[in-house]
């Protein structure tokens, strides 16, 4: 049966949060290395994903962002800086979209919780 999926910021009540390893350990900027994910949806070939991701402060540079991703910040803060130095900061309640291939520096300045929808 198909029905709307209520994506809770506290994670999927059936599966909870599990450790995630999307961020290299060297990219964490504090002693807190917490990164976890809670999946709410994945299609059959895992090219469309939706869930909640949480991560402690980090700083990562992307030559090309790896996916098309729409995100809504639930809590925390992330600043995205373009190669030309233009910076945008997103905080609780902000929704933004990253186009696959976008070069940027991604800096989480306080532990981030976000809803995401990824198309690979």
């Amino acid at each position: 049966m198909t029905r709307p999926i209520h994506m809770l910021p506290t994670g999927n009540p059936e599966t909870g949060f599990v450790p995630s390893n999307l961020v290299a350990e060297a990219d964490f900027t504090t002693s807190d290395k917490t990164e976890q994910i809670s999946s709410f949806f994945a299609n059959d070939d895992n090219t469309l994903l939706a869930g909640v991701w949480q991560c402690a402060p980090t700083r990562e540079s992307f030559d090309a962002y790896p996916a098309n991703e729409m995100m809504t910040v639930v809590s925390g803060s992330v600043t995205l800086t373009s190669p030309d130095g233009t910076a945008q900061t997103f905080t609780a309640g902000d929704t933004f979209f990253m186009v696959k291939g976008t070069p940027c520096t991604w800096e989480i300045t306080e532990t981030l919780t976000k809803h995401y929808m990824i198309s690979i």
Side-chain angles (χ1 to χ4, degrees):
M1 177 191 326
T2 304
R3 59 180 167 56
I5 298 169
H6 188 183
M7 291 180 33
L8 303 168
T10 54
N12 187 324
E14 295 175 19
T15 58
F17 279 93
V18 297
S20 180
N21 61 354
L22 298 172
V23 177
E25 188 167 331
D27 291 336
F28 285 92
T29 57
T30 67
S31 60
D32 184 358
K33 312 268 190 246
T34 305
E35 179 192 4
Q36 55 186 3
I37 196 163
S38 184
S39 178
F40 280 83
F41 176 82
N43 66 350
D44 292 338
D45 61 1
N46 285 322
T47 57
L48 185 63
L49 309 165
V52 180
W53 183 75
Q54 295 179 334
C55 190
T58 62
R59 188 173 193 282
E60 298 179 88
S61 291
F62 295 94
D63 292 330
Y65 199 75
N68 291 305
E69 182 174 3
M70 184 170 169
M71 299 165 249
T72 298
V73 177
V74 176
S75 63
S77 178
V78 61
T79 298
L80 304 177
T81 305
S82 300
D84 69 2
T86 303
Q88 293 180 284
T89 299
F90 301 95
T91 60
D94 290 337
T95 299
F96 62 101
F97 182 78
M98 289 291 291
V99 176
K100 183 177 182 174
T102 300
C104 69
T105 298
W106 172 282
E107 186 170 9
I108 297 172
T109 54
E110 60 183 270
T111 298
L112 180 73
T113 300
K114 69 174 186 175
H115 285 125
Y116 66 85
M117 182 172 200
I118 295 173
S119 174
I120 299 172

